[in-house]
Amino acid sequence: MWWIVRKELRCLLGDVRASVILVALPVVFMAVIGLATSRVFDGASDMTTISVVVVDADASDLSERIVNAVTKRAEFAVRRFDGLADAERELAARGCDAVLVIGPEFSARVAELDPGDVLDTSSGPLAGGLEALDVEVRAQPSLRQTGAIVEGLAFGEVLRECAAHVARENRLTAWFLRNREEDGEVEEDGPPASAPSTASGPSLYQQIVPSYTVLFAFFIVTSMARSFLAERELHTLDRIRVSPLSVTSVLLGKTIPFVGISLFQCTLLLAIGGLLFGMSFGSAPHLLVPVLLSTSFAACGLGLLTAAWVRTDSQVSAYGTLVVLTMGAVSGCMVPREFLPATMQTVSLCVPHAWALEGFHEVLVSSTPRADVVLRCSLAQSAFGIGFLCLGFLLLSRRWSVTRTSGRQTEQTTAG
Amino acid sequence: MSSVATETAPQLVVDRLTKLFGDRLAVDEVSLDIDRGRILGLLGPNGAGKSTTMSMICGLVAPDSGSVTVGGERLDHSGRDVRRRIGLVPQEIALYPELTSRENVTFFGGLQGLSGRRLRERIDFVLDEVQLGPRAADAVATLSGGMKRRLNVAVALTHEPDLLVLDEPTVGVDPQSRLALLDAVRRAADRGAAVLLASHQMYEVEAVCDHVAVMDHGRVLRTGTVADLLHGIPSRAEVVVEGAEPAVGRSRSSVVEVESSAAAGKATVTLLSQDHAALVDELTRLLATFSEQGRRVLEIRKSEPSLEQLFFDLTGRTLRD
């Protein structure tokens, strides 16, 4: 088996095309995508803030508090307009992404709320969302998702301010709040426990480097499939099959080098991400090891399965690339996973890439990476890898087997 | 079962091998055996079943029935030791073009269980055997077609197989390379290997093989030594003369057959005989007759019994693919 491992490594290391695909191309991609999308994704960039125009037609203390709360949010760059018409013109001229309109009936509708309505927003008056309080968000037609984000965040701020307001207006809750203040349990000026972080999100390359590392790690599928295909086309497979090696040894011998190459590729890409693009390795970089190992294992498992499936180089190019790119797109390798719809985020867990990304995200982005999350992601990937390997092994060993005593022989290539 | 008689037990015994591809019977109860140190030439037109038979002998294709025994051990799916006894030279050049000659031999020798000093000795030996020692460090991709063919054979010789199976090993090589290849095969047999050589080159089979088997339609039609096979095939002489079909009458010799035909203003008289002297006498008489008649002789063709003649007699002259 180790003769095959050595031979594969010798052939792979001499294959310039494979090296370009596996290492050079992802680095170029990271750099290009980083430059091209930095204004969209980079947390430090102005483009990550949503430009919001606020029109306060209610002009009450409560509505003023709402405007102030929204203004403080890091996600928003807020400007105040006096008239709705001016705000609509600004929106039409694409001078802003969204308009938040606090209607003239806002404080009156809030006054009608009782604490129960605030506590239960699913069935009470607040089930209607912002509209129930005469608050409206209008967004650019092409920025519906942005509008939804503004609406969601604004609803949170409105709810927080209204809850406090309603609680103070209600006798029972007012008494309770007074007692708490006397006991010193509440810090008036301190940030609420549930206040969202105003820190900027993960840096651009914290997302791009692992995403493209995972995407290109799976491109080893095409190299692996081509390697098996080459053995068939060169007829060296016949010589190998005539040797005393078992099918298991042959398959292991051909797979192990690719796992090594994949590990090297992923490690190198992360290192380049750190050195070249300033990506941080997080507070627990050792947790990268299981993620890297399981990613390479899953990628090579898929490689073996693809090798068992394809018959021609065209099929490798078509199926291999299609499968890898589709899986990458579905899982969120090409855009941050947070940008995917919730359904897609769930569906994407059907591919190993998604688990790899979750694992990398936990290690590289989370301030306190959880080993159990990383382990879960790694185990899920390993399960994919084992499944792919077993299926590929079954298909190939069945095709190479000489135990059958009847039927067609699919591996037969020549006839005298 | 055809017998290739020797005093020792055959190194290869193929017993009623049969293979179906779908409804097509590719190999039909083929039986062969080869003794140690002997070369069996396998002849047959394209599609005759030669390669399928060889694939089954090497364990690459599972037979539907029948058995293969190499060195007394039956070949089956778990027969790793049996496979170690076999050296295969596929019809195609089965080498890694990016690796050097030495690396190719090393790799396949390693797969066969050789290592260390023994492997190095064998590598040097087989590269010298096919006269590729000076090109050992060159990538296969840079070698000529003939060199690749020689290396293709060298790889199969590395582990000193008891059975060497060669599927048309000299396709596309120049006469010098062919000679070197066949010499290497002959020497392998001299060292004790049983050799199965499939070829379309009748003269090289005649030159190197001890025994010959002719296959067609999946069956072995004839087998034996070259002399055995050629025995009974008549020598042939053809005389082409101008004009209508001559009245040549019966041969004076009872051992010479005479046939005649005419077409397009030319007539052909064919003489067939296993008695060479009688055939020459009859030919001399015929030419004298034509001379007396004043008929101009356009062409005289004469052929001795050959494997090619036998091949055509057994398999016909119709194109197969």
Side-chain angles (χ1 to χ4, degrees):
Chain A
M1 181 183 80
W2 295 110
W3 285 104
I4 298 183
V5 172
R6 281 168 58 178
K7 187 271 294 178
E8 283 299 318
L9 282 173
R10 167 76 176 78
C11 291
L12 278 169
L13 295 176
D15 186 352
V16 178
R17 185 177 67 167
S19 305
V20 167
I21 290 175
L22 295 178
V23 177
L25 208 56
V27 172
V28 171
F29 253 75
M30 286 174 195
V32 170
I33 298 292
L35 288 172
T37 60
S38 61
R39 289 177 61 79
V40 177
F41 295 128
D42 192 348
S45 166
D46 287 344
M47 289 300 286
T48 58
T49 57
I50 301 169
S51 171
V52 179
V53 164
V54 176
V55 178
D56 182 5
D58 188 50
S60 62
D61 288 345
L62 181 60
S63 65
E64 184 64 23
R65 283 210 296 277
I66 300 291
V67 174
N68 288 338
V70 170
T71 305
K72 283 179 184 171
R73 289 206 69 98
E75 297 88 349
F76 297 151
V78 175
R79 285 177 294 154
R80 294 184 69 152
F81 275 42
D82 291 334
L84 181 59
D86 289 343
E88 284 181 334
R89 270 196 294 277
E90 185 73 359
L91 187 67
R94 297 178 181 271
C96 64
D97 299 321
V99 173
L100 175 67
V101 183
I102 302 175
E105 296 178 21
F106 173 66
S107 50
R109 292 194 188 177
V110 172
E112 291 171 5
L113 299 174
D114 60 36
D117 296 331
V118 177
L119 291 172
D120 180 15
T121 58
S122 59
S123 58
L126 293 181
L130 285 174
E131 277 185 38
L133 297 175
D134 195 23
V135 178
E136 186 186 356
V137 172
R138 298 178 189 181
Q140 297 275 2
S142 59
L143 297 174
R144 283 183 190 164
Q145 287 188 334
T146 305
I149 292 168
V150 173
E151 192 163 343
L153 293 173
F155 187 60
E157 295 301 333
V158 168
L159 202 59
R160 194 146 57 86
E161 294 298 331
C162 288
H165 178 78
V166 169
R168 286 194 177 87
E169 293 300 311
N170 182 275
R171 281 187 200 171
L172 184 63
T173 51
W175 174 82
F176 177 73
L177 284 174
R178 272 198 304 278
N179 283 345
R180 285 190 73 198
E181 285 166 13
E182 285 166 8
D183 291 344
E185 289 181 15
V186 176
E187 291 179 24
E188 275 290 321
D189 298 328
S194 60
S197 167
T198 55
S200 61
S203 85
L204 170 66
Y205 288 104
Q206 294 298 110
Q207 300 197 32
I208 285 183
V209 172
S211 295
Y212 281 92
T213 297
V214 171
L215 182 67
F216 279 91
F218 276 84
F219 264 102
I220 207 155
V221 163
T222 56
S223 296
M224 249 183 112
R226 281 204 172 90
S227 166
F228 278 82
L229 199 61
E231 297 281 10
R232 283 209 287 265
E233 289 177 346
L234 291 171
H235 300 278
T236 45
L237 185 61
D238 285 348
R239 280 199 198 279
I240 292 173
R241 289 175 62 207
V242 172
S243 78
L245 285 186
S246 66
V247 175
T248 309
S249 298
V250 174
L251 294 182
L252 278 177
K254 287 202 67 78
T255 304
I256 287 172
F258 284 95
V259 176
I261 293 279
S262 176
L263 270 175
F264 174 75
Q265 175 207 17
C266 292
T267 309
L268 186 65
L269 289 177
L270 289 181
I272 289 173
L275 293 172
L276 215 61
F277 305 122
M279 183 196 76
S280 159
F281 291 99
S283 58
H286 63 279
L287 288 177
L288 284 171
V289 174
V291 183
L292 283 171
L293 280 170
S294 54
T295 301
S296 297
F297 180 63
C300 292
L302 186 60
L304 188 71
L305 179 57
T306 309
W309 184 260
V310 296
R311 290 284 192 279
T312 64
D313 195 62
S314 305
Q315 288 179 354
V316 173
S317 301
Y319 296 145
T321 309
L322 186 69
V323 165
V324 170
L325 284 180
T326 305
M327 284 180 156
V330 166
S331 63
C333 285
M334 296 174 183
V335 290
R337 276 180 64 73
E338 302 85 74
F339 280 36
L340 296 176
T343 312
M344 187 57 85
Q345 285 191 30
T346 307
V347 169
S348 68
L349 295 176
C350 295
V351 298
H353 301 54
W355 291 97
L357 289 177
E358 292 280 332
F360 277 122
H361 188 272
E362 185 65 23
V363 180
L364 298 176
V365 176
S366 176
S367 55
T368 50
R370 288 173 52 189
D372 62 321
V373 173
V374 173
L375 190 64
R376 192 178 66 225
C377 294
S378 303
L379 286 176
Q381 281 206 90
S382 302
F384 273 108
I386 289 169
F388 292 148
L389 274 177
C390 289
L391 203 52
F393 180 85
L394 279 176
L395 286 172
L396 280 172
S397 58
R398 192 176 150 201
R399 199 186 302 159
W400 292 357
S401 171
V402 294
T403 58
R404 287 183 299 156
T405 55
S406 63
R408 291 173 192 278
Q409 189 72 28
T410 52
E411 197 64 31
Q412 175 71 6
T413 53
T414 54
Chain B
M1 189 189 308
S2 63
S3 180
V4 179
T6 60
E7 293 168 9
T8 57
Q11 189 70 271
L12 170 71
V13 178
V14 174
D15 185 19
R16 287 175 293 169
L17 272 189
T18 300
K19 182 67 192 176
L20 276 158
F21 289 121
D23 298 331
R24 189 173 67 84
L25 189 59
V27 176
D28 185 9
E29 297 207 332
V30 165
S31 296
L32 297 166
D33 50 53
I34 311 175
D35 287 321
R36 183 178 286 276
R38 295 302 175 95
I39 304 176
L40 174 67
L42 195 57
L43 295 175
N46 293 331
K50 301 189 302 294
S51 291
T52 304
T53 301
M54 295 175 106
S55 294
M56 286 191 283
I57 289 170
C58 292
L60 294 172
V61 171
D64 290 318
S65 64
S67 66
V68 176
T69 307
V70 182
E73 286 184 74
R74 188 170 167 150
L75 180 74
D76 59 23
H77 65 280
S78 60
R80 292 193 203 177
D81 290 336
V82 183
R83 279 186 276 162
R84 206 185 293 275
R85 294 170 175 269
I86 301 171
L88 169 66
V89 181
Q91 192 173 353
E92 298 77 13
I93 294 169
L95 302 166
Y96 299 102
E98 63 270 53
L99 301 186
T100 65
S101 307
R102 177 174 287 277
E103 285 171 335
N104 269 284
V105 180
T106 306
F107 170 66
F108 288 110
L111 289 191
Q112 295 291 349
L114 299 180
S115 62
R117 186 177 166 187
R118 176 75 184 136
L119 177 59
R120 286 193 297 276
E121 285 173 357
R122 287 303 302 169
I123 292 166
D124 291 338
F125 175 80
V126 295
L127 287 175
D128 285 344
E129 186 74 355
V130 296
Q131 299 169 44
L132 279 175
R135 302 297 299 269
D138 292 344
V140 167
T142 65
L143 301 181
S144 69
M147 289 174 178
K148 287 176 187 170
R149 283 281 166 197
R150 273 142 58 194
L151 186 61
N152 208 30
V153 172
V155 164
L157 295 173
T158 311
H159 61 291
E160 293 183 277
D162 294 332
L163 172 65
L164 185 61
V165 178
L166 304 104
D167 194 356
E168 299 182 38
T170 59
V171 171
V173 302
D174 59 29
Q176 288 84 356
S177 282
R178 178 179 295 114
L179 196 62
L181 271 175
L182 295 178
D183 281 349
V185 171
R186 182 72 257 176
R187 285 194 294 271
D190 291 345
R191 287 190 295 272
V195 179
L196 178 60
L197 169 70
S199 177
H200 287 303
Q201 310 296 333
M202 306 296 166
Y203 56 91
E204 79 182 28
V205 170
E206 279 192 66
V208 79
C209 294
D210 304 301
H211 297 84
V212 176
V214 182
M215 279 188 77
D216 199 12
H217 302 298
R219 299 185 71 92
V220 173
L221 302 177
R222 194 75 64 82
T223 184
T225 63
V226 174
D228 287 345
L229 291 175
L230 296 184
H231 181 73
I233 298 176
S235 295
R236 184 186 190 96
E238 286 180 339
V239 182
V240 182
V241 290
E242 260 183 351
E245 186 175 343
V248 291
R250 289 174 59 87
S251 165
R252 287 181 188 173
S253 167
S254 58
V255 295
V256 179
E257 237 178 279
V258 182
E259 295 168 359
S260 64
S261 61
K266 290 192 286 188
T268 303
V269 179
T270 305
L271 307 176
L272 298 162
S273 178
Q274 292 178 35
D275 184 336
H276 184 74
L279 184 82
V280 171
D281 285 348
E282 190 61 28
L283 179 61
T284 307
R285 184 194 67 80
L286 189 66
L287 291 173
T289 305
F290 287 146
S291 178
E292 287 167 8
Q293 292 173 352
R295 297 187 72 158
R296 193 154 74 95
V297 175
L298 300 174
E299 190 179 357
I300 301 170
R301 294 190 289 257
K302 188 169 180 301
S303 60
E304 296 301 320
S306 67
L307 273 181
E308 183 161 299
Q309 194 180 335
L310 172 71
F311 184 82
F312 283 130
D313 287 349
L314 290 174
T315 64
R317 290 177 179 265
T318 311
L319 279 177
R320 297 305 177 88
D321 53 17

